[in-house]
Amino acid sequence: SLDANKQQTSNSCKKRRASISIPRGLGNGAARILASDEPERNNLPQPPSPKQILALVRAYCDLPEVDRQRSEQAQLIQDMTGYAMAQAQTLRPVNSDFLVNIQPTVREMEKQKKIDVEETRNATNCEVRKDKHGLYEYFDDCGDRVCPEEYSRRYHAMLATK
């Protein structure tokens, strides 16, 4: 009896396989029916499966670059995922005059950053470092750790005096 209940429960929980057809005209093998593992519930639209999205992205990538942005694939990808397919950008040669002209500005910005870091260090009595995971750590003048909340309190006190 217990085995019969388990079998009946397992049979009633099986997922129905639903299919979706990609609109005609997508070309390059993407206009095929893709199987979805999600059952239809109350006839509400189901989110696209990763397989469906992958097929659309592959069809999009198979198109010539000039046709991609206004393609049906690009529109479907955006409709299904909310992600707009970016247009490929070609690299342009860097204007050497621009680089020469911007150098003094960059040097000035770096100089100001050093001044700001030193002022903050003196006002908070803390040194800020990044750990190997890119997270910030705070240390006082003795090398002891300072919790982020305490550093934030000190930093806001510094800003209030400016």
Side-chain angles (χ1 to χ4, degrees):
S1 170
L2 185 59
D3 289 333
N5 284 341
K6 282 184 181 178
Q7 187 175 2
Q8 183 180 6
T9 304
S10 67
N11 287 341
S12 64
C13 293
K14 285 186 179 177
K15 291 183 178 180
R16 239 181 41 205
R17 291 185 61 86
S19 296
I20 183 170
S21 62
I22 305 297
R24 292 176 23 172
L26 294 183
N28 297 324
R32 63 183 181 271
I33 297 175
L34 299 171
S36 169
D37 293 331
E38 291 295 318
E40 292 181 31
R41 292 187 183 103
N42 302 328
N43 293 328
L44 294 175
Q46 297 296 313
S49 74
K51 288 180 183 179
Q52 293 166 337
I53 295 169
L54 181 61
L56 279 173
V57 171
R58 284 182 176 160
Y60 172 85
C61 291
D62 286 342
L63 293 172
E65 285 187 25
V66 295
D67 297 335
R68 288 181 183 173
Q69 199 62 32
R70 291 190 173 91
S71 70
E72 192 173 352
Q73 292 91 333
Q75 186 60 48
L76 283 170
I77 291 167
Q78 184 170 356
D79 292 346
M80 291 175 139
T81 65
Y83 178 78
M85 298 301 287
Q87 188 170 3
Q89 297 191 3
T90 56
L91 296 175
R92 292 180 221 127
V94 177
N95 183 345
S96 61
D97 291 338
F98 170 76
L99 293 176
V100 170
N101 292 334
I102 194 114
Q103 285 180 358
T105 304
V106 171
R107 278 193 215 108
E108 191 63 35
M109 290 169 60
E110 288 174 349
K111 181 180 170 186
Q112 186 60 47
K113 179 181 176 182
K114 286 180 183 179
I115 291 169
D116 291 345
V117 166
E118 192 59 34
E119 282 179 5
T120 303
R121 180 171 166 44
N122 292 335
T124 62
N125 295 319
C126 290
E127 182 180 344
V128 180
R129 299 181 206 152
K130 274 190 181 179
D131 68 8
K132 63 182 178 181
H133 303 291
L135 301 174
Y136 290 103
E137 297 178 312
Y138 310 99
F139 299 90
D140 64 13
D141 293 334
C142 298
D144 296 328
R145 277 188 191 271
V146 175
C147 70
E149 293 79 13
E150 174 61 20
Y151 177 78
S152 179
R153 187 191 63 73
R154 294 180 187 187
Y155 184 77
H156 285 99
M158 176 198 75
L159 292 178
T161 61
K162 279 192 168 191

